[in-house]
């Protein structure tokens, strides 16, 4: 397919995404588009750039139902959640251990979609010089935005596949371009160079606090710093840095501190309410998000989170069930592990005296929610496998997702399309604090690491940590697990630390069973459920077989596949 023939296809999809904006639809007929008139017309150029944002591929329909944040699919691939239903295509991977180049489960289309989006960005870069008669400030802004999007796409490819082919332009020939894989370090360098190019003279707003309502949801300079810091953190991590090269940690530390300083100087701050971060779009903790709402506030699509995550008594399907391991990760209010004999923890009152983020993220037996209590006990609990309504939607672990849900929203069925117009947080300030803290631990600067970990903990009224050395690293990793629950970090963290196999392979998902006696007393038992798989080869996702075949084996498959 020649690139000029690709233009109408791209613009048709972009025009459909624009909605009912009459000004934006007042453009040339879509069957007449060529590179020349797309990139010389201000309206079509805007549509094209807006279409490039779809490259984040943040939301999609799960099954044939509601659109959901696709980043959530990594949660049941880690030790955070159990996927009761295979809406995400994760069972192939962690239930059956059958992930291979011809059986990719939830990764089936990711490679192709990411490279398709890279191609769209490359097409812009190849032709933006044609926009010489359009406001230079606007063209400069668009260029920064598309450059960031392309850098993020390569970061996404890096964290799933490792070294990947770096394609910077659109091929002009009617054939598959055979390009070998670049090394991870080369991919990192490309990403960082792209971001540094933006940072030399940014044409985009500094931050959410420094832009008007119409710009919210788009790339800011604070987001550029955040992506650079995260990329260099991955580059320094064990999976990409086996010899533990200190120079990589130094670079990650410098970028991490720069990202924090820039974000704070431009209005970003931790918001007081942890739970509110995820149901209040464009708060000042969020550095970059993709939202269900358009910049004008009109609804683009509805989220089905209330239906997918709520319990049976609340009209939900309980498609993800938080694990016992996740619940046990939350410390007591005085900062002790529940395994500490001095913590006062008992299973029959597991919810008492716990880190507030537990009750803000997870629902369990006795939780007050939507005007009544969650009941997972048997016999007769309204959210148990004996529920009078929807018993098949009970939680196999005994827990339900609360994070991301608004209590005042009523779930609807998949025809009514009711739900919260929520958003997907890609970067927020707390992550920047934790990223930087990790670099300081690795560099031996324990006091500096403690400072930034404690800033995150203070928001939830958790006591400061004072650990050092290996104990500090352990506490940090647990803090990250708790703070960033279900934000598309845990799966990647376990892999980049190169500990995923030891944590998860051939291990049972655990849950809690609660039996209620006639006199009202309850008995609590920890039980093993589905065994999950995470063999060593899962450190990286396999490249699709058709891509290997089309390259005439020039693309080298990841080890173990």
């Amino acid at each position: 397919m020649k690139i000029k023939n690709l233009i109408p296809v791209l613009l048709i999809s972009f025009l459909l995404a624009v909605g009912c904006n009459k000004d934006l639809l007042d453009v040339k007929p879509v069957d007449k588009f060529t590179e020349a008139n797309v990139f010389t017309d201000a309206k079509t150029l805007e549509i094209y750039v807006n279409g490039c944002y779809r490259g984040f591929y943040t939301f999609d329909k799960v099954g044939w139902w509601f659109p959901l944040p696709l980043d959530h699919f990594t949660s049941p691939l880690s030790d955070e959640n159990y996927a009761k239903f295979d809406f995400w295509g994760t069972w192939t991977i962690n239930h059956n251990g059958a992930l291979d180049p011809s059986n990719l489960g939830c990764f089936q289309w990711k490679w192709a979609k990411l490279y398709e989006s890279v191609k769209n960005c490359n097409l812009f870069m190849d032709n933006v010089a044609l926009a010489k008669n359009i406001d230079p400030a606007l063209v400069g802004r668009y260029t920064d935005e598309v450059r960031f999007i392309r850098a993020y796409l390569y970061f996404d490819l890096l964290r799933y596949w490792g070294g990947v082919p770096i394609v910077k332009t659109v091929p002009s020939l009617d054939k598959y371009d055979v390009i070998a894989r670049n090394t991870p370090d080369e991919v990192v360098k490309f990403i960082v160079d792209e971001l540094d190019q933006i940072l030399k003279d940014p044409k985009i707003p500094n931050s959410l606090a420094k832009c008007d309502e119409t710009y919210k949801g788009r790339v800011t300079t604070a987001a550029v710093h955040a992506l650079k810091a995260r990329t260099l953190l991955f580059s320094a991590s064990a999976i990409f840095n086996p010899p533990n090269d200190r120079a990589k940690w130094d670079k990650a530390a410098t970028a991490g501190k720069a990202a924090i300083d820039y974000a704070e100087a431009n209005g970003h701050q931790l918001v007081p309410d942890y739970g509110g971060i995820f149901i209040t779009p464009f708060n000042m903790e969020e550095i970059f998000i993709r939202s269900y709402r358009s910049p004008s506030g009109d609804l683009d699509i509805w989220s089905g989170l209330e239906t997918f995550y709520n319990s049976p008594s609340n009209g939900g399907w309980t498609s993800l069930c938080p694990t016992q391991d996740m619940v046990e990760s939350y410390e007591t209010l005085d900062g002790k592990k529940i395994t500490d004999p001095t913590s006062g923890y008992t299973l029959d009152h597991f919810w008492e005296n716990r880190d507030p983020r537990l009750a803000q993220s997870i629902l369990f037996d006795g939780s007050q929610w939507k005007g009544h209590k969650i009941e997972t006990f048997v016999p007769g609990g309204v959210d148990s496998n004996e529920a009078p309504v929807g018993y098949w939607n009970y939680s196999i672990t005994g827990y339900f997702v609360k994070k991301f849900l608004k209590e005042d929203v009523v779930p609807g069925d998949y025809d009514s399309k009711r739900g919260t117009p929520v958003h997907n947080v890609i970067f927020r300030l707390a992550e920047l604090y934790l990223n930087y803290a990790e670099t300081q631990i690795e560099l031996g600067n324990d006091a500096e690491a403690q400072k930034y970990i404690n800033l995150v903990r203070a928001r939830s009224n958790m006591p400061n940590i004072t650990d050092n050395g290996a104990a500090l690293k352990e506490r940090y990793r647990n803090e990250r697990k708790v703070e960033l629950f279900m934000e598309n970090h845990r799966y990647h963290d376990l892999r980049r630390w190169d500990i995923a196999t030891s944590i998860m392979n051939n291990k049972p998902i655990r849950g809690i069973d609660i039996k209620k006696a006639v006199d009202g007393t309850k008995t609590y038992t920890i039980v093993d459920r589905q065994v999950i798989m995470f063999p060593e080869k899962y450190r990286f996702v396999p490249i699709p077989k058709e891509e290997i075949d089309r390259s005439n084996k020039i693309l080298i498959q990841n080890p173990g596949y």
Side-chain angles (χ1 to χ4, degrees), residues 100-353:
D100 66 44
S102 299
N103 189 20
L104 290 162
C106 57
F107 301 117
Q108 183 65 41
W109 306 113
K110 193 168 183 66
W111 175 282
K113 284 181 177 292
L114 287 171
Y115 271 109
E116 179 184 359
S117 298
V118 166
K119 177 175 60 180
N120 295 342
C121 293
N122 287 344
L123 186 64
F124 174 91
M125 291 298 188
D126 286 353
N127 291 280
V128 68
L130 298 173
K132 52 183 177 293
N133 294 323
I134 301 174
D135 178 4
L138 188 61
V139 174
R141 194 199 89 190
Y142 287 159
T143 302
D144 282 357
E145 291 178 75
V146 174
R147 194 181 295 278
F148 174 91
I149 293 168
R150 184 169 66 174
Y152 186 89
L153 294 169
Y154 273 107
F155 168 74
D156 218 16
L157 286 160
L158 174 78
R159 64 178 169 175
Y160 285 101
W161 282 278
V164 295
I166 299 174
V167 185
K168 302 178 185 178
T169 61
V170 178
S172 58
L173 300 178
D174 290 330
K175 67 177 183 179
Y176 181 79
D177 235 22
V178 179
I179 301 175
R181 297 177 69 172
N182 290 87
T183 67
D185 284 349
E186 289 170 340
V187 177
V188 168
K189 183 179 186 304
F190 174 75
I191 295 168
V192 171
D193 286 350
E194 289 287 280
L195 299 175
D196 283 345
Q197 183 68 25
I198 299 172
L199 294 174
K200 284 179 182 177
D201 184 19
K203 302 299 191 300
I204 48 180
N206 294 1
S207 68
L208 285 178
K210 302 295 179 69
C211 66
D212 61 32
E213 289 294 321
T214 62
Y215 192 83
K216 287 183 176 179
R218 304 179 79 93
V219 178
T220 66
T221 308
V224 177
H225 278 287
L227 178 55
K228 180 179 177 180
R230 190 193 284 177
T231 301
L232 288 171
L233 177 68
F234 271 69
S235 177
S237 299
I239 198 168
F240 294 122
N241 186 20
N244 200 26
D245 180 0
R246 182 185 173 94
K248 287 191 172 186
W249 286 111
D250 284 332
K251 288 181 180 179
T254 299
K257 189 60 164 61
I260 290 170
D261 291 346
Y262 190 90
E264 291 179 337
N266 286 280
H268 288 290
Q269 57 187 314
L270 298 183
V271 298
D273 177 20
Y274 174 79
I277 299 169
F278 314 101
I279 58 175
T280 309
F282 307 116
N283 61 72
M284 282 301 101
E285 182 163 341
E286 295 171 339
I287 293 170
F288 183 57
I289 72 169
R290 297 300 295 153
S291 178
Y292 286 112
R293 288 188 182 275
S294 66
S296 67
D298 297 329
L299 282 176
D300 291 329
I301 49 178
W302 285 105
S303 157
L305 292 181
E306 280 74 25
T307 297
F308 272 75
Y309 293 162
N310 261 306
S311 67
S313 67
N314 293 295
W317 297 350
T318 317
S319 64
L320 290 185
C321 310
T323 66
Q324 185 66 33
D325 291 88
M326 188 67 224
V327 171
E328 291 177 358
S329 298
Y330 295 87
E331 299 170 354
T332 59
L333 279 173
D334 52 1
K336 295 179 179 179
K337 297 179 182 179
I338 64 169
T339 54
D340 186 329
T342 68
S343 67
Y345 170 85
T346 59
L347 182 60
D348 57 353
H349 288 84
F350 70 85
W351 60 91
E352 293 181 353
N353 190 41

Side-chain angles (χ1 to χ4, degrees), residues 77 92 169 171 190 240 272 293 297 323 334 369 372 381 385 414 464 544:
L77 296 180
T92 291
T169 61
F190 174 75
F240 294 122
R293 288 188 182 275
T323 66
D334 52 1
W369 184 245
H372 66 278
N385 59 357
Y414 52 76
N464 288 345

Side-chain angles (χ1 to χ4, degrees), residues 74-79 92-99 107 239 490-496 498-507 531-541 561:
T74 65
S75 188
L77 296 180
S78 74
D79 52 356
T92 291
I93 299 169
N94 62 355
H95 285 201
N96 304 326
L99 178 66
F107 301 117
I239 198 168
R490 182 66 175 170
Y491 168 72
H492 299 292
D493 286 343
L494 291 174
R495 289 167 52 247
R496 70 182 177 85
D498 211 9
I499 62 173
T501 297
S502 62
I503 296 290
M504 292 190 293
N505 191 43
N506 204 27
K507 301 290 177 65
V531 171
I532 59 172
M533 311 299 291
F534 208 102
E536 189 70 20
K537 67 179 182 179
Y538 279 16
R539 295 163 77 243
F540 291 107
V541 175
Y561 299 105

